Amino acid sequence: MSPRNKRPRRRRAPAPAPVAWWKRPVTWLLTIVVGAVGAWLGAVLLGMFNQWKPANELAEELAGRGPLVVLDVKHVPYPDEGALDYVYPAGADLARLDAERPADPTVEAGAVDIGRSTWEITLVGTRDEAVEAVDLRPVLVEPCRPPLTGVRDPNESQGASEKLVLVTHVDQANPRMLIEDPGGEDAGAPFFATNKITLPRGEKNVIQVRALSAKQHCRWRLELDYLADGRRQTMVVSAPGDKPFEVTGRADDAAYASIYLNPLNGCRAKDGSTTDRLRITGAEYAQMVRDKRTCPY
């Protein structure tokens, strides 16, 4: 065959150039996953580090906020002084409350403790020389009023506290912090008349303040006097959200709009159904008590 009649050979397409590893989609995916895991692990380790942070580092972190810092203010929903109740204010979401009782009605639903209200206050000193708390007193934001009569809910006590507990009667004139020591020789004595609270640099000190009111609805803040930097100073302690603390006395049963029954009694509703959140009127509850019954129906 002559050269003219030879068929030209087909040239093969060149093989595609290999893609660099760092440009591959799987590499991008792995990078995102590894980065997310790394960020999560870093947050966990940082939280653990802050929890174990030495006292001097905590003090340095808080130093710009003054000689004495209120690190936390926390409501105690199940104090050890016996079964007390809550009252929900007018306008509370009863559909939600009928379905389930909040773990802490005061924090989650704006309820007010009846009879006694207990709060934990965590204090930290930030100076090389120890700060000394020398007085703590409630100051009313307004005159006390008649007790709240919204919706009452039972509160069961759960265990005792090993923390320092100071008791004050906010419905009395010039209330002072008293020593709670049931059966002890110092029970009922003014705490700061013979004691002070020493706060070394960076060390946390937790105080439980228990406010009592027999028949009135009272709102107050706490004034804390302390010695630091060579002089006496005063700071105001409020409830979370810069709100005043609050406690109400107990009203007559019939005065409440409605009352939740203790679920431990296992009471049935009018239609015979069972529920853990049975609510009846205050008048019905008062009649039940007069009849010496644990269930209304």
Side-chain angles (χ1 to χ4, degrees):
M1 182 179 294
S2 63
R4 290 181 183 174
N5 296 329
K6 284 185 178 181
R7 293 181 179 179
R9 294 182 179 179
R10 294 182 179 177
R11 295 183 178 179
R12 294 182 179 179
V19 179
W21 66 269
W22 50 272
K23 291 184 178 181
R24 296 175 186 174
V26 67
T27 303
W28 300 344
L29 179 60
L30 288 174
T31 301
I32 294 173
V33 172
V34 171
V37 172
W40 170 81
L41 183 59
V44 171
L45 292 176
L46 180 60
M48 295 173 63
F49 173 79
N50 287 334
Q51 184 177 1
W52 299 333
K53 187 179 296 183
N56 61 336
E57 292 189 22
L58 176 61
E60 289 175 3
E61 181 180 314
L62 301 173
R65 296 170 56 183
L68 182 62
V69 174
V70 177
L71 197 62
D72 189 28
V73 178
K74 182 174 65 175
H75 180 248
V76 181
Y78 300 104
D80 64 330
E81 73 272 15
L84 299 167
D85 298 343
Y86 297 100
V87 59
Y88 298 100
D93 185 355
L94 296 183
R96 172 194 171 196
L97 296 174
D98 287 347
E100 183 179 12
R101 183 186 188 276
D104 186 344
T106 295
V107 173
E108 300 175 36
V112 178
D113 296 293
I114 296 178
R116 305 179 187 181
S117 185
T118 304
W119 293 81
E120 282 189 358
I121 301 171
T122 303
L123 303 173
V124 179
T126 65
R127 296 297 192 262
D128 291 331
E129 183 178 349
V131 177
E132 294 181 345
V134 295
D135 195 16
L136 181 65
R137 57 192 173 275
V139 178
L140 296 177
V141 299
E142 62 192 10
C144 294
R145 300 176 178 180
L148 297 176
T149 55
V151 179
R152 200 172 81 195
D153 203 357
N155 171 25
E156 297 299 327
S157 174
Q158 290 188 355
S161 171
E162 298 180 355
K163 300 179 176 68
L164 171 64
V165 180
L166 302 179
V167 177
T168 183
H169 298 266
V170 293
D171 58 343
Q172 298 180 5
N174 301 318
R176 305 177 70 180
M177 291 295 169
L178 310 177
I179 298 173
E180 184 184 69
D181 184 18
E185 60 181 16
D186 293 330
F191 176 82
F192 287 101
T194 55
N195 298 276
K196 60 186 177 183
I197 300 173
T198 302
L199 299 162
R201 188 172 188 263
E203 290 189 12
K204 300 178 183 178
N205 196 308
V206 179
I207 305 171
Q208 278 198 0
V209 174
R210 183 164 297 154
L212 284 62
S213 178
K215 283 293 183 180
Q216 300 185 77
H217 172 215
C218 303
R219 301 168 69 238
W220 75 96
R221 301 181 192 274
L222 293 170
E223 286 188 356
L224 175 62
D225 291 348
Y226 62 95
L227 301 177
D229 300 335
R231 59 192 180 95
R232 187 181 181 113
Q233 305 177 54
T234 301
M235 70 184 308
V236 176
V237 182
S238 302
D242 197 30
K243 298 178 180 179
F245 299 100
E246 197 168 0
V247 67
T248 182
R250 182 180 292 271
D252 294 335
D253 292 336
Y256 291 99
S258 53
I259 298 175
Y260 284 101
L261 299 184
N262 194 321
L264 297 178
N265 293 336
C267 298
R268 293 178 176 271
K270 282 184 177 180
D271 60 4
S273 61
T274 58
T275 174
D276 289 338
R277 297 292 288 166
L278 181 59
R279 177 169 52 85
I280 63 176
T281 67
E284 289 175 319
Y285 185 88
Q287 185 63 50
M288 183 187 78
V289 173
R290 285 195 295 269
D291 294 342
K292 298 180 180 181
R293 293 181 287 128
T294 57
C295 292
Y297 314 121

